[in-house]
Amino acid sequence: MSTSIVSSSGLLSIENWAKKQVMEFFDRVSKYESGRRGASYALGTPKVGLLAFFEPSTRTRISFERAGMDFGLQWVHWDSMQSSLRKGESLRDSFHVLDRYPWGVVVVRHPDAGFAHLVSSWLRCPVLNAGDGQREHPTQALGDAYLLWKLGKRKKWKITFVGDLYRSRVARSVLRLGGILGYELSVLRDGNRETELFAKSFGVSLIAKSSLKKQDVVYGLRSQRERGSLFQVPSVEPEDLGEQTRVMHPGPVVWGEEFSKRIQTECDEKLLLLEQIEAGYEVRRAVFADLLKKKEGRRA
Ligand code: CP
């Protein structure tokens, strides 16, 4: 029997996962999704989770929060801007203080790469990575891959990324998971050296705009201004897409940048953006289900 991608440490990274583990996880997500209104997965005694977000978020934070509530989790929001960090306390000291309270789980987002791993070394409870700098966003990638799995379980998805890949943790996680799942991955050639180096480092091909028509999915990535991006995103227009091409984006979308405003107004049937939101929620529910079911090797 293979092990779950959710360990007693939580879910920090897409590391050393096997396709079989991911497929088994998707089977469980699907089972939980279809049994949504049943009580079969009501779990144990209520627990309290901590949401520690050091960057803005709408989708990920609310999705984790809402998904956890389905399992009786109550939440404490750590408002870092109103905390003793402002008085000069170090993050390490703050998390050591927080570790003295009992948590079922801690969900973290932070602008520094590796932050979730660092927090995991400071805490005794499971930690879920909701985005660490440019490095990873594992549950975003799982949600997107789960959606594609539902749309075509055996399909070898042809996906092209468009936009500011270099600064995108979503790109890194989706590419990594896409590699595990056997997707045919590529990057739109945009004349930007960073994009070329990024594609090379992941061993994926660069394609011309004229080839977007052949792709199953064009996956857009926002220009990451909060990470100093001055990136001129090559806007994709409706006529660049094939009949079968679907449009994905982790959000938030700035229409008129990586995707033209016409994609929003003229291509409604191609957009998978809201389906991505639902899939992300389902995946996070399953992460909690897996996590809360585990024998607690670490204090919760
Ligand atoms: N996709 C994503 O991480 O969105 P938020 O920043 O709104 O969480």
Side-chain angles (χ1 to χ4, degrees), residues 51 53-67 77 107 109 130 137 139-140 169 222 226 250-253 274 276-278 280-281 284:
L51 288 159
F53 276 59
F54 295 81
E55 279 187 359
S57 170
T58 297
R59 293 148 199 76
T60 311
R61 186 178 64 73
I62 292 174
S63 171
F64 268 119
E65 189 172 1
R66 184 63 190 81
H77 291 259
V107 185
R109 169 175 284 192
H137 196 342
T139 55
Q140 175 74 46
R169 56 191 169 217
R222 183 177 58 87
E226 66 274 33
V253 186
L274 295 177
Q276 286 176 263
I277 302 296
E278 288 170 354
Y281 166 62
R284 289 175 185 117

Side-chain angles (χ1 to χ4, degrees), residues 11-44:
L11 198 159
L12 303 174
S13 173
I14 297 168
E15 283 169 333
N16 307 319
W17 292 353
K19 184 170 179 177
K20 187 165 181 284
Q21 285 174 297
V22 180
M23 289 298 143
E24 285 172 0
F25 178 74
F26 287 164
D27 277 332
R28 282 199 299 285
V29 184
S30 178
K31 204 174 79 199
Y32 295 132
E33 186 175 4
S34 51
R36 177 191 301 282
R37 289 177 217 294
S40 58
Y41 47 82
L43 297 166

Side-chain angles (χ1 to χ4, degrees), residues 254-290:
V254 183
W255 295 104
E257 293 204 357
E258 58 276 21
F259 292 127
S260 83
K261 290 183 182 170
R262 287 178 53 225
I263 298 268
Q264 183 183 28
T265 53
E266 296 173 25
C267 300
D268 193 42
E269 75 293 348
K270 290 188 176 296
L271 301 179
L272 291 177
L273 277 56
L274 295 177
E275 285 84 348
Q276 286 176 263
I277 302 296
E278 288 170 354
Y281 166 62
E282 297 300 343
V283 155
R284 289 175 185 117
R285 291 176 79 246
V287 167
F288 285 125
D290 276 10

